[in-house]
């Protein structure tokens, strides 16, 4: 079973961080297993979850994650419920969460939607997309999500990293990240 879970927000460098976990020689990392955030998969139980890691080697640290664990998209379970689900299955796991300056986070999300061909105003973007159930302005308030994970796992088991350190090319970013595992 995983010893750590990456629960980064979308648009915070989460795909890069997950790729670093996948490439690390001492980590067996499964990206986007779609268990905790998918009601149907979650209803299959912990035996099913355990089977998702049957390919993992016993001599490597096992981890998993999904930037959608902290997403408000309608197709996924509520992020607060996801935190509780993770805790119920992996109560001793280390949780890694990547956050970003909220203004940059919102601008990045807006630009992403524009590149995807969606034409809308920034105001419409902030209010959210009814068909997707995404409320970007709400997601940008990181504190409630961080507080929930800290209340469940304790401060020592929740590692918060910053997109700005990653984007600045801070050499210590990955060293600090890996040393926390």
């Amino acid at each position: 079973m995983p010893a750590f879970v990456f629960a980064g927000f979308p648009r915070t460098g989460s795909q890069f961080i997950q790729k670093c976990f996948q490439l690390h020689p001492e980590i067996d990392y499964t990206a986007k297993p779609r268990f905790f955030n998918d009601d149907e998969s979650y209803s299959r139980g912990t035996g099913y979850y355990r089977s998702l890691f049957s390919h993992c080697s016993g001599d490597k640290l096992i981890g998993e994650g999904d930037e959608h664990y902290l997403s408000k998209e309608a197709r996924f379970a509520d992020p607060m419920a996801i935190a509780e689900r993770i805790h119920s299955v992996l109560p001793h796991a280390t949780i890694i969460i990547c956050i970003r300056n909220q203004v940059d986070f919102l601008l990045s999300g807006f630009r992403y939607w524009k590149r995807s061909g969606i034409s809308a105003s920034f105001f419409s973007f902030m209010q959210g997309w009814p068909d997707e159930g995404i409320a970007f302005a709400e997601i940008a308030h990181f504190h409630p999500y961080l507080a929930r994970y800290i209340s469940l796992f304790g401060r020592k088991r929740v590692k918060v990293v910053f997109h700005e350190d990653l984007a600045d090319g801070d050499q210590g970013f990955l060293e600090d990240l890996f040393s926390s595992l």
Side-chain angles (χ1 to χ4, degrees), residues 71-90:
S71 174
K72 293 287 284 184
E73 293 179 57
R75 63 187 166 135
F76 298 120
D78 177 73
M80 298 300 191
I82 291 169
E84 292 175 20
R85 288 176 175 185
I86 294 170
H87 186 260
S88 73
V89 176
L90 303 169

Side-chain angles (χ1 to χ4, degrees), residues 11-69:
R11 314 304 309 157
T12 61
S14 52
Q15 289 183 359
F16 174 80
I17 292 169
Q18 290 185 88
K19 184 56 86 177
C20 289
F21 287 140
Q22 289 173 323
L23 295 174
H24 194 288
E26 297 172 12
I27 296 175
D28 261 327
Y29 186 79
T30 301
K32 300 180 181 159
R34 298 284 196 257
F35 179 75
F36 295 113
N37 56 350
D38 182 82
D39 292 335
E40 185 179 328
S41 293
Y42 187 74
S43 70
R44 295 175 74 179
T46 56
Y48 170 73
Y49 181 68
R50 185 175 275 110
S51 76
L52 297 173
F53 304 96
S54 61
H55 67 282
C56 295
S57 159
D59 60 337
K60 292 185 177 183
L61 186 65
I62 299 173
E64 70 109 308
D66 192 326
E67 69 271 13
H68 294 290
Y69 286 166

Side-chain angles (χ1 to χ4, degrees), residues 11 100 103-126 129 136:
R11 314 304 309 157
R100 182 178 191 173
V103 172
D104 293 338
F105 171 78
L106 292 169
L107 286 173
S108 176
F110 179 65
R111 289 179 185 134
Y112 174 80
W113 282 93
K114 295 295 267 188
R115 283 192 307 271
S116 299
I118 297 171
S119 72
S121 69
F122 187 71
F123 180 74
S124 297
F125 167 80
M126 292 292 288
W129 300 96
F136 286 95

